[in-house]
Amino acid sequence: MARVTLRKLVKNYEETPAVRGIDLDIADKEFVVLVGPSGCGKSTTLRMIAGLEDITGGEVLIGDEVVNDMPPKDRDIAMVFQNYALYPHMTVYENMSFGLRLKKVDKAEIAKRVENAARILDISELLQRKPKQLSGGQRQRVAMGRAIVRDPKVFLFDEPLSNLDAKLRVQMRTEIKKVHQKVRTTTVYVTHDQVEAMTLADRVVVMNGGVIEQVGTPNDLYHFPATRFVAGFIGSPAMNFIPCRLEVAGGGLAARLSPEIAFPVPHAREARYRPYLDSGNLLFGLRPEHIVEQRPHAESDQHAFEVPLEVTEPMGMETLVYFEIGGVEVCGRVNPNAGAQSGHRMKLVADLANMHLIDAASGKVL
Amino acid sequence: MAVARTSMKGDRRKAMIWSYVFLGMFVVFFLTPPVYMLITSLKSNAEISAAVSPWWIFAPTLENYVELLSSPTYLTFFRNSALVSILVVTITMLVSIPAAFALSRMKFWGSATLATGVFLTYLIPETLLFIPLFKIFVFVHDLTGIELINRWWVLVILYPTLTVPFCTWIMIGYFGSIPKELDEAALIDGAGYLQILTKIFIPVALPGIIAATIFAFTVSWAQFLYPLAFTTSADQLVLPVGIITTLIRGDVFTWGQIMTGALLGAAPPLIIYAFLMDYYIAGLTAGATKG
């Protein structure tokens, strides 16, 4: 049973701040993913939880105990590293049992735990091999096995899948999720890959520039981003951002994107957006999947427009179309049979129920 | 395709031929002296003085070997050399492995400067040091009454000044090539620094340690200047100096015995190299590539 709590956590390297006072509550058994671009402070945060970095300010609590000055070995945590960090001179069995042997755990107990972990990870046949005789995926399993065997309060993962090829990464992602469902240990997982974050996490913590931009379930972050950064970081292809201004049109509001194109704002949002009528520094945000080909039955809040397509990218199950609005490249996702062709005009539909309005100055989603 | 293949085969052939030509020259150049020593050591003094042919033995004899191996002085040199070398290697490893670990892993104030300093001490030539050392020994004697000059064991104190810096430097490089995550994983697994050193670093860096051991052994076994300067009486001499001072009397060179003594003296390093060669090469090229 272990919660992990960060209170006003700060880390400075010399004079350079890496983490600027973050607060986070991670519940027992929860799978939390810290995600963000490189240099956002996610790994540093993880390493402070592990005890591998000194804490400049604030507190880290594991359970109810402040562990700021506790050495890593007393924190009852296990960590999986990007490059696996297996002991090259030891067999898989010795690697997995190293921590327990240091703790002088009974030999029979060690054997039981190692075999159990090996069974969970399907590496029972590899126990007598050395790390260099294993493939990347197998090494990663052993690294996870080393963590599971110790039955710690918290699992820490530092970009564990970054060294694997794309196919194996997807496979191991599922493995990690399965393992967590079996052992239910509180997990903090660091990655720069938003897909990994979305697929694994109970809650995702998006970090940028040493602060937390937003914490939420994958669906929350996707549909209700709090900032422009989160809106742009989560989702692929990324959300379209088009400079716009609000104007009064036909009793309601409309977002004017270019002299030709203005999208009516859904009625439900009007009250929320009205105070920004005079603001000249707004961004209109819409995900590519909410710009599709025109269909026979239009729904409410869908608005048709026609643009010349610059580039089309057939992906098989869909076709990405690129065009320009107000001098900005915009991406849409249409049905592959909709007849999208580069250089031709196409009728598209914007699903405005999913639009976002962003204050460009503060980066806040309104 | 077939043409390209043949020409590639031809290129390879040419490269191989040239490789063997140069390797052959290399072997002749470096193996001629030991072969010459071996031939001379199997000749009698009379045959050596007759100087009929340096490359042929007309009456092979083991008299030089018998004489040397039954001579108590030569055996004393051998014993002194062995004792000095074993003790020096032990001391060197006991100092330089922990030193290298501390300098490469435990970041403390001035550790980087200290690491460079260690290397710089290696650059000071020993020829500059033996006179000051001599003075220090005299000073110590005046102060404490302990005699340091003309004692074989004083070499055990002296040689590490040559071996420790270099071995530490090799080991810093070797330890530096061990990924940092390995000690972090061990730290989290519950190991202390001493356990990280003994259970992770020493086994992982074994090739480097063996390379350093061979280096330390070779230096102390072949060292000439210090024993020549600091030891004089026959019972305190080590091999290299012993052979020179006892087998050359004025202008009389007992060549047969000199060659035999040198050849026997070269045997221990040769045996050690033969057994540990693979490790030695692996150690010297460590860090060149990751993996």
Side-chain angles (χ1 to χ4, degrees):
Chain A
M1 295 291 280
R3 291 173 290 123
V4 175
T5 313
L6 311 182
R7 282 190 199 141
K8 303 257 172 297
L9 194 62
V10 175
K11 174 70 188 181
N12 297 336
Y13 289 108
E14 309 287 323
E15 292 304 302
T16 324
V19 175
R20 303 162 187 257
I22 59 174
D23 288 287
L24 184 66
D25 283 298
I26 299 166
D28 184 38
K29 300 193 174 89
E30 194 177 22
F31 198 121
V32 163
V33 176
L34 308 182
V35 67
S38 54
C40 72
K42 55 190 191 298
S43 279
T44 309
T45 305
L46 189 79
R47 292 169 59 80
M48 283 194 279
I49 299 174
L52 298 172
E53 294 290 344
D54 291 332
I55 294 168
T56 311
E59 284 180 337
V60 173
L61 286 85
I62 296 177
D64 297 316
E65 200 175 357
V66 176
V67 296
N68 281 30
D69 298 317
M70 196 184 270
K73 64 182 168 105
D74 298 328
R75 296 188 183 198
D76 200 6
I77 47 160
M79 187 153 167
V80 177
F81 295 85
Q82 179 177 349
N83 64 3
Y84 324 125
L86 299 178
Y87 311 122
H89 58 295
M90 297 185 193
T91 63
V92 168
Y93 186 94
E94 288 164 341
N95 261 286
M96 287 168 69
S97 59
F98 185 65
L100 297 178
R101 281 185 284 141
L102 286 179
K103 273 198 224 159
K104 307 239 182 303
V105 174
D106 177 57
K107 268 194 181 147
E109 171 71 14
I110 293 179
K112 204 177 86 189
R113 288 216 225 167
V114 171
E115 277 154 25
N116 184 39
R119 205 169 31 248
I120 292 176
L121 293 160
D122 200 18
I123 49 171
S124 301
E125 281 77 48
L126 308 177
L127 287 177
Q128 296 314 317
R129 301 248 190 109
K130 291 269 177 73
K132 65 168 178 241
Q133 298 167 295
L134 304 176
S135 69
Q138 289 170 331
R139 287 180 203 185
Q140 194 56 67
R141 276 170 216 259
V142 175
M144 275 160 65
R146 192 168 61 181
I148 293 172
V149 159
R150 299 200 19 236
D151 190 21
K153 283 187 198 153
V154 186
F155 280 152
L156 305 173
F157 288 87
D158 191 2
E159 308 232 9
L161 305 182
S162 301
N163 280 7
L164 302 177
D165 63 56
K167 203 173 160 189
L168 201 54
R169 201 178 303 158
V170 173
Q171 197 187 328
M172 285 305 294
R173 203 167 71 196
T174 324
E175 290 289 318
I176 290 177
K177 197 153 190 173
K178 273 191 211 158
V179 167
H180 182 250
Q181 279 159 4
K182 276 182 205 157
V183 299
R184 305 298 303 169
T185 305
T186 311
T187 302
V188 187
Y189 186 107
V190 162
T191 179
H192 62 269
D193 179 352
Q194 51 103 4
V195 179
E196 227 169 276
M198 297 285 281
T199 48
L200 284 172
D202 294 326
R203 276 194 307 155
V204 179
V205 178
V206 182
M207 291 185 69
N208 185 31
V211 295
I212 293 178
E213 290 267 340
Q214 192 175 356
V215 183
T217 64
N219 274 331
D220 276 350
L221 293 187
Y222 191 80
H223 294 290
F224 309 106
T227 63
R228 180 194 169 162
F229 179 82
V230 175
F233 191 79
I234 304 284
S236 174
M239 187 185 283
N240 299 300
F241 297 108
I242 310 157
C244 77
R245 68 194 154 73
L246 285 178
E247 56 186 31
V248 179
L253 289 178
R256 168 69 59 189
L257 306 183
S258 72
E260 300 83 40
I261 297 177
F263 290 145
V265 171
H267 291 299
R269 310 265 187 111
E270 274 175 14
R272 207 197 319 165
Y273 289 164
R274 202 168 281 279
Y276 302 97
L277 248 179
D278 298 325
S279 170
N281 203 7
L282 294 174
L283 285 174
F284 173 87
L286 193 63
R287 292 195 184 277
E289 55 266 44
H290 300 131
I291 301 175
V292 297
E293 75 282 0
Q294 197 175 28
R295 290 167 188 167
H297 306 291
E299 291 166 33
S300 62
D301 292 331
Q302 290 200 336
H303 183 82
F305 63 103
E306 196 179 303
V307 282
L309 302 183
E310 287 176 347
V311 178
T312 59
E313 293 179 344
M315 310 288 285
M317 61 176 288
E318 67 190 10
T319 296
L320 301 181
V321 297
Y322 293 91
F323 51 92
E324 210 172 83
I325 297 179
V328 180
E329 184 172 80
V330 178
C331 175
R333 301 167 81 155
V334 305
N335 189 298
N337 302 319
Q341 272 185 28
S342 314
H344 288 65
R345 291 181 76 80
M346 187 175 184
K347 275 212 158 140
L348 296 169
V349 165
D351 182 2
L352 298 171
N354 290 297
M355 69 164 278
H356 301 278
L357 200 61
I358 298 153
D359 177 15
S362 68
K364 290 258 183 298
V365 174
L366 304 172
Chain B
M1 205 57 202
V3 177
R5 237 218 192 111
T6 338
S7 96
M8 228 165 82
K9 248 187 182 169
D11 279 355
R12 195 180 141 72
R13 231 180 117 92
K14 227 185 243 171
M16 290 300 281
I17 290 172
W18 279 110
S19 305
Y20 278 112
V21 167
F22 281 107
L23 278 173
M25 284 161 61
F26 191 79
V27 167
V28 169
F29 184 80
F30 281 100
L31 280 189
T32 305
V35 169
Y36 190 66
M37 285 163 68
L38 179 68
I39 292 171
T40 313
S41 74
L42 293 169
K43 290 179 179 179
S44 64
N45 278 331
E47 192 178 335
I48 296 168
S49 342
V52 184
S53 159
W55 301 111
W56 193 252
I57 314 163
F58 294 95
T61 168
L62 286 175
E63 67 178 35
N64 291 319
Y65 289 85
V66 174
E67 227 168 285
L68 266 190
L69 291 175
S70 58
S71 134
T73 24
Y74 183 79
L75 293 178
T76 308
F77 302 157
F78 212 98
R79 192 208 61 176
N80 287 350
S81 266
L83 272 175
V84 167
S85 297
I86 290 168
L87 288 171
V88 167
V89 167
T90 313
I91 292 173
T92 306
M93 289 302 124
L94 285 177
V95 175
S96 58
I97 290 175
F101 179 69
L103 289 173
S104 69
R105 276 311 202 263
M106 304 161 88
K107 295 278 165 252
F108 51 89
W109 189 84
S111 58
T113 322
L114 206 57
T116 318
V118 166
F119 185 63
L120 288 180
T121 54
Y122 178 67
L123 298 180
I124 299 170
E126 58 200 79
T127 37
L128 276 184
L129 288 178
F130 76 92
I131 293 171
L133 280 170
F134 213 97
K135 289 220 155 202
I136 292 172
F137 289 173
V138 172
F139 178 74
V140 169
H141 180 245
D142 290 348
L143 206 69
T144 62
I146 299 171
E147 183 59 82
L148 293 169
I149 294 162
N150 195 23
R151 298 284 181 271
W152 66 265
W153 49 262
V154 89
L155 301 175
V156 177
I157 306 169
L158 281 177
Y159 290 176
T161 58
L162 305 171
T163 55
V164 165
F166 189 73
C167 290
T168 307
W169 191 252
I170 293 184
M171 295 311 302
I172 288 176
Y174 213 92
F175 286 165
S177 72
I178 296 176
K180 211 165 167 0
E181 284 85 352
L182 226 54
D183 12 335
E184 292 179 345
L187 268 182
I188 289 175
D189 266 342
Y193 275 115
L194 193 64
Q195 282 168 317
I196 293 177
L197 176 63
T198 55
K199 291 191 174 3
I200 311 285
F201 272 60
I202 290 180
V204 171
L206 201 59
I209 292 174
I210 288 174
T213 306
I214 292 181
F215 171 83
F217 181 83
T218 313
V219 164
S220 35
W221 189 264
Q223 176 57 233
F224 186 74
L225 187 65
Y226 282 176
L228 185 68
F230 292 113
T231 51
T232 45
S233 52
D235 61 329
Q236 303 295 329
L237 292 178
V238 289
L239 259 184
V241 178
I243 292 170
I244 301 299
T245 51
T246 58
L247 299 179
I248 302 173
R249 297 180 198 93
D251 57 353
V252 182
F253 290 74
T254 46
W255 281 119
Q257 284 188 27
I258 293 173
M259 292 301 162
T260 311
L263 212 59
L264 287 174
L270 208 65
I271 291 166
I272 290 177
Y273 271 53
F275 278 108
L276 302 176
M277 200 57 181
D278 290 345
Y279 279 113
Y280 188 56
I281 290 168
L284 284 183
T285 54
T289 56
K290 268 219 160 168

